[in-house]
Amino acid sequence: MTFQMSLGFVQSGFGQRVRSTNTASETGRRVRFVTRAVVAPAAPSAPAPTIAPAPELYKIASDLGEKNSKKPIWKIFVSSLLGGAYIGYGSLLALTVGGACPGLLATNPGLQQMVFGAFGLPFGLMMVLVTGAELFTGNTMTVSAAFHEKKVSVSDIAKSWIVSFGGNLVGSVLLAYLAAASGVLATAAGPLAVAKAKTSLPFIQLLVRGILCNWLVTAAVYMASGARDLGGKMIAIWFPISAFVAMKFEHSVANMFMIPFGIMLGAGVSWQSFFLGNLLPVTLGNIVGGALIMATMNAVIFGSALKKKIVS
């Protein structure tokens, strides 16, 4: 009897050990299965877009307008002085390359104008946007977008536009003086011809050319501000900027360099003709193109403009 009980005890213990071993084995298999499922390689993620979607572009523009308009006056002025100088560099490059092709101008004026636009001002605007400098023409769009979103006041708009315009003018004229003193285009006919041509057009033509110009310029700023990398920014800048130059539209900040530079080289154009015969109508046109067309139309589509009227 004792033997049977002992045997039963052994068998019972053995059975428990077998069951325990089987259970552990099964558990191990389950653990290993779960482990393999967890460490399985994930599916490759889709590449990030190289530019923000259209609604986000508008938000980026309005945020930039708020940021720039809230700066202290001295910061706006200094960054705008740099912006005017950078556009001056681009204008000087355009005059040096595209403006020095008299043979091409005589035989193929369209191609010459494209060369004039392709080399110069896109380079200048790229420097402005990448370095964080400011342009009056860009501020007409960004600060207006911020106003539509109730981020800035009318006084903020006035401060931004007036100070950035003054800073751009000082920076452009300063660079024009340095370029004239350097003698790089002292005997070239291009700068003289450009200064004379830009101050010889009727007021209304300059106004409309200013509108068409800044519509394209602010579109370039709008797109480039939402580009994720430098290559995207350069593409967004190059097409609209080279296009407006090739089509002979008028940009107030570029003219702040080109016309004074021609005056300093002896173009026979007065400062009064520069201010009243070009800069005034072009500036008004640039405001319409940037504030009323680019900013307001995109505010209607993506922002708050007319929202209350549509809801009611």
Side-chain angles (χ1 to χ4, degrees), residues 133-180:
E134 287 193 48
L135 287 183
F136 161 76
T137 46
N139 286 345
T140 63
M141 182 270 293
T142 57
V143 181
S144 296
F147 178 76
H148 285 305
E149 301 311 305
K150 299 179 176 56
K151 297 177 180 179
V152 302
S153 64
V154 173
S155 62
D156 290 325
I157 293 178
K159 179 183 77 172
S160 172
W161 290 7
I162 292 170
V163 178
S164 62
F165 186 90
N168 287 165
L169 180 61
V170 172
S172 297
V173 174
L174 176 61
L175 192 76
Y177 174 79
L178 294 175

Side-chain angles (χ1 to χ4, degrees), residues 113 136 201 300:
Q113 198 64 28
F136 161 76
L201 294 172
V300 170

Side-chain angles (χ1 to χ4, degrees), residues 117-232:
F119 296 95
L121 286 176
F123 151 70
L125 185 59
M126 181 193 70
M127 287 198 296
V128 170
L129 295 183
V130 173
T131 63
E134 287 193 48
L135 287 183
F136 161 76
T137 46
N139 286 345
T140 63
M141 182 270 293
T142 57
V143 181
S144 296
F147 178 76
H148 285 305
E149 301 311 305
K150 299 179 176 56
K151 297 177 180 179
V152 302
S153 64
V154 173
S155 62
D156 290 325
I157 293 178
K159 179 183 77 172
S160 172
W161 290 7
I162 292 170
V163 178
S164 62
F165 186 90
N168 287 165
L169 180 61
V170 172
S172 297
V173 174
L174 176 61
L175 192 76
Y177 174 79
L178 294 175
S182 73
V184 290
L185 293 176
T187 60
L192 310 184
V194 169
K196 290 178 181 178
K198 286 182 174 292
T199 53
S200 301
L201 294 172
F203 188 99
I204 187 64
Q205 287 188 13
L206 289 169
L207 176 70
V208 175
R209 291 187 188 196
I211 294 172
L212 297 172
C213 169
N214 211 33
W215 191 347
L216 288 175
V217 171
T218 52
V221 173
Y222 190 84
M223 295 185 292
S225 297
R228 310 293 191 189
D229 53 32
L230 182 59

Side-chain angles (χ1 to χ4, degrees), residues 227-252:
R228 310 293 191 189
D229 53 32
L230 182 59
K233 291 182 185 295
M234 292 174 65
I235 293 172
I237 290 168
W238 190 85
F239 282 99
I241 302 305
S242 61
F244 101 70
V245 178
M247 292 184 284
K248 299 184 179 181
F249 297 153
E250 294 286 326
H251 188 260
S252 56

Side-chain angles (χ1 to χ4, degrees), residues 87-104:
I87 294 298
Y89 270 117
S91 301
L92 181 60
L93 179 60
L95 292 169
T96 302
V97 179
C101 303
L104 186 61

